[in-house]
């Protein structure tokens, strides 16, 4: 793979936005205009067997446009921001060597952050430590794990919600592996993972209520397409449980609770829609803190034309079109 400093010569094109903002449709439109390959920036579409609830591109769409970083993990497995950065930069180099335009598109802001800013010098994931922490969490609950984190790393614990299981687990894992709190390690840059230049087009809807309606409508469409049956198939697998990152994905987590008898279907639907709206809010908050982004109102009638204008210069330099 090319050294990451190579990428500073030509910014990496990124299309970001909250869930249900129309990223996939615009990414496909870019691919219709220029020879493009899409690198998915999504912590849910990486999982095999999780198609409907992640709004994964259809087989027909994948035949029309080459997609990368889809279906690369089983739901039992984890995938880190560090792994994403490594895989994404490798894809970018290979796509450019083919004379195509690499387009990173998605809504997992942690992945965009890792790509743009580089990574801290944190230890890699350890499956045995994670398993031990999950067993402990089953006994005392994630608020109890949060209390444990408060004892060993109050700085990190202060910024995490007591039920933020994924981040609490990672902070505790780092402490168990390194013997140091995450807050001490997080400022130590890894020189092999330097920041790279990006051109980020940010789809930001001007009317939050319309985005909320789209989120509800899309979830209902997923249910009509068979999302519940998809979750039921996952629920039958003996090695899957709600503590895994895959099952904690919005929509899946709430329907899993329904299948466990904790809530009824109506409540699961309402909780899934509410959780998706909260996700969109967090995504927008992150985007609005990003300097230098090219803002496009995703609700504007000429949103696509604005995006194509942003892309045109870089696409011409890379593809010759």
């Amino acid at each position: 793979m090319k050294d990451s400093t190579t990428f500073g010569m030509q910014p990496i094109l990124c299309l970001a936005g909250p869930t249900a903002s129309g990223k996939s449709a615009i990414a496909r439109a870019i691919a219709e205009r220029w020879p493009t390959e899409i690198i998915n920036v999504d912590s849910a579409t990486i999982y095999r067997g999780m198609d409907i609830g992640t709004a994964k591109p259809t087989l027909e769409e994948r035949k029309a446009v080459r997609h990368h970083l889809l279906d690369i993990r089983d739901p039992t497995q984890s995938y880190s921001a560090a792994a994403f950065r490594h895989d994404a930069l490798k894809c970018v180099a290979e796509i450019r060597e083919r004379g195509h335009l690499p387009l990173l598109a998605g809504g997992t802001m942690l992945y965009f952050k890792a790509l743009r800013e580089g990574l801290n010098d944190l230890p890699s994931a350890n499956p045995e430590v994670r398993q031990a922490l999950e067993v402990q969490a089953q006994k005392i609950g994630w608020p109890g794990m949060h209390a444990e984190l408060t004892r060993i790393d109050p700085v990190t614990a202060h910024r995490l919600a007591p039920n933020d299981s994924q981040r609490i687990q990672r902070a505790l894992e780092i402490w168990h592996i390194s013997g140091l709190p995450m807050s001490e390690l997080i400022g130590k840059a890894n020189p092999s993972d330097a920041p790279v230049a990006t051109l980020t087009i940010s789809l930001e809807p001007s009317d939050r209520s319309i985005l909320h309606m789209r989120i509800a409508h899309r979830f209902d469409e997923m249910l009509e397409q068979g999302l519940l049956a998809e979750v039921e198939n996952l629920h039958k697998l003996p090695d899957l449980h709600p503590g895994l990152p895959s099952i904690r994905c919005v929509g899946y987590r709430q329907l899993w609770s329904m299948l466990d008898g904790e809530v009824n279907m109506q409540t699961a639907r309402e909780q899934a829609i509410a959780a998706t709206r909260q996700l969109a809010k967090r995504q927008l908050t992150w985007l609005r803190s990003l300097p230098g982004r090219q803002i496009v109102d995703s609700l504007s009638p000429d949103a696509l034309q604005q995006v194509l204008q942003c892309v045109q210069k870089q696409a011409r330099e890379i593809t010759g079109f």
Side-chain angles (χ1 to χ4, degrees):
M1 192 188 82
K2 296 179 181 178
D3 186 89
S4 60
T5 54
T6 303
F7 296 101
M9 299 165 55
Q10 177 65 265
I12 299 175
L13 181 61
C14 300
L15 179 65
T19 185
S21 61
K23 297 183 296 294
S24 297
I26 287 184
R28 289 195 298 271
I30 292 172
E32 290 173 0
R33 174 66 178 81
W34 295 283
T36 301
E37 298 182 35
I38 297 171
I39 302 170
N40 292 275
V41 188
D42 192 301
S43 60
T45 57
I46 62 170
Y47 293 115
R48 291 182 279 268
M50 296 175 59
D51 303 327
I52 298 171
T54 63
K56 198 175 289 180
T58 64
L59 291 177
E60 291 74 18
E61 289 167 346
R62 283 185 254 182
K63 287 178 182 177
V65 181
R66 188 169 179 181
H67 287 72
H68 300 268
L69 306 189
L70 290 176
D71 297 327
I72 59 172
R73 291 290 187 276
D74 287 325
T76 55
Q77 298 175 306
S78 61
Y79 189 64
S80 67
F84 167 80
R85 178 188 164 93
H86 173 272
D87 294 345
L89 289 178
K90 183 174 184 291
C91 287
V92 167
E94 292 171 350
I95 293 167
R96 286 180 173 174
E97 286 172 0
R98 289 191 283 271
H100 292 174
L101 176 68
L103 172 62
L104 281 89
T108 298
M109 302 307 166
L110 179 62
Y111 288 0
F112 279 122
K113 178 179 172 66
L115 180 75
R116 178 186 174 93
E117 300 179 10
L119 295 165
N120 297 295
D121 193 14
L122 300 177
S124 300
N126 184 302
E128 284 141 9
V129 172
R130 288 198 168 188
Q131 180 62 33
L133 290 170
E134 286 170 6
V135 170
Q136 185 181 0
Q138 290 172 0
K139 295 177 181 177
I140 67 173
W142 286 107
M145 300 293 279
H146 184 266
E148 174 67 10
L149 181 62
T150 301
R151 185 182 66 81
I152 62 175
D153 187 358
V155 175
T156 299
H158 179 71
R159 63 182 179 82
L160 299 181
N163 285 310
D164 192 346
S165 55
Q166 188 168 358
R167 290 179 177 85
I168 293 170
Q169 182 187 54
R170 176 59 176 151
L172 288 169
E173 176 189 42
I174 287 168
W175 184 82
H176 280 284
I177 294 171
S178 69
L180 295 172
M182 181 177 176
S183 56
E184 284 188 22
L185 295 173
I186 203 151
K188 298 179 180 178
N190 187 336
S192 66
D193 289 309
V196 298
T198 61
L199 170 61
T200 300
I201 302 170
S202 179
L203 300 178
E204 300 177 21
S206 54
D207 188 333
R208 190 78 61 88
S209 66
I210 294 177
L211 179 65
H212 287 178
M213 286 190 292
R214 286 185 175 181
I215 286 170
H217 178 69
R218 189 172 76 159
F219 188 74
D220 287 337
E221 282 189 331
M222 289 175 175
L223 289 174
E224 291 174 4
Q225 293 164 6
L227 176 57
L228 180 57
E230 184 172 89
V231 180
E232 285 175 337
N233 289 334
L234 296 169
H235 194 263
K236 294 173 184 174
L237 299 176
D239 50 354
L240 296 184
H241 56 82
L244 292 169
S246 57
I247 307 305
R248 291 200 296 265
C249 292
V250 290
Y252 292 88
R253 179 173 68 247
Q254 292 77 20
L255 291 178
W256 193 283
S257 294
M258 189 272 292
L259 293 172
D260 280 344
E262 297 172 0
V263 296
N264 59 30
M265 185 62 197
Q266 180 179 349
T267 300
R269 174 188 174 274
E270 292 170 353
Q271 290 177 344
I273 292 171
T276 309
R277 289 173 176 172
Q278 285 297 313
L279 170 62
K281 181 180 179 180
R282 292 193 300 272
Q283 291 168 320
L284 283 167
T285 298
W286 186 89
L287 284 168
R288 287 168 181 162
S289 70
L290 182 65
R293 73 194 190 282
Q294 304 292 310
I295 304 170
V296 174
D297 179 2
S298 60
L299 302 178
S300 173
D302 66 341
L304 176 57
Q305 289 306 313
Q306 292 183 52
V307 171
L308 295 179
Q309 287 176 6
C310 292
V311 174
Q312 187 170 28
K313 182 176 183 294
Q314 184 173 132
R316 186 183 298 121
E317 290 178 357
I318 294 176
T319 68
F321 291 95

